[in-house]
Amino acid sequence: MDDVKIGEILLPGDEETQERQEAKVRSRFWPTFKKAARQIPFSRDLVAAYYCATDRETPFRVRGILLAALGYFVLPIDVVPDILAVVGFTDDIAVLTTAIALINRHIKDRHYDAADKVLADEEPAA
């Protein structure tokens, strides 16, 4: 994922690629999210997308799209550096918004319920 081209970011990849991507997203999502939470206007959707992507009931292709987009969000090297406050997350927002728009019907109420708990400062679920 570190050397992926922007045009390929939303490709779901094969099962091995998804497993690597899921491990990367799981390890980096919460630290990156906490750093960015105040600057992201759609935090609830982002967290719900995380839970959808890590839900084994979510279809393979949908999980792949979300894992790729979330992987882009957690990458330390970015098209626009995230250290540039609000502007730095614009490319992340564009990628995530596109991914969520493509698969939004797969994000279920249970994913939003989990997101609501996290955003209310409760302990994140695994």
Side-chain angles (χ1 to χ4, degrees):
M1 180 74 192
D2 292 336
D3 61 352
V4 89
K5 295 176 184 157
I6 299 299
E8 298 172 354
I9 196 72
L10 294 179
L11 296 177
D14 59 21
E15 192 166 346
E16 183 181 325
T17 301
Q18 278 195 21
E19 286 177 17
R20 280 194 321 271
Q21 189 66 11
E22 182 174 347
K24 187 179 295 181
V25 166
R26 282 185 182 271
S27 71
R28 297 182 184 171
F29 181 80
W30 294 114
T32 304
F33 176 77
K34 287 177 182 177
K35 183 171 66 174
R38 292 186 184 117
Q39 300 169 19
I40 299 174
F42 62 99
S43 295
R44 184 175 187 251
D45 292 318
L46 176 60
V47 177
Y50 169 84
Y51 284 113
C52 183
T54 58
D55 183 345
R56 296 291 181 210
E57 293 180 25
T58 300
F60 182 79
R61 181 167 172 74
V62 172
R63 288 184 70 231
I65 290 169
L66 285 174
L67 288 169
L70 291 166
Y72 185 80
F73 174 69
V74 301
L75 280 176
I77 297 176
D78 211 320
V79 173
V80 180
D82 295 338
I83 59 170
L84 298 176
V86 176
V87 176
F89 287 102
T90 56
D91 59 321
D92 301 277
I93 291 168
V95 169
L96 289 163
T97 301
T98 301
I100 291 169
L102 288 171
I103 56 79
N104 67 355
R105 74 175 192 271
H106 294 283
I107 300 178
K108 306 296 183 197
D109 288 341
R110 68 179 177 271
H111 303 134
Y112 280 108
D113 291 343
D116 290 340
K117 288 180 181 178
V118 168
L119 294 171
D121 285 332
E122 296 179 21
E123 189 64 28

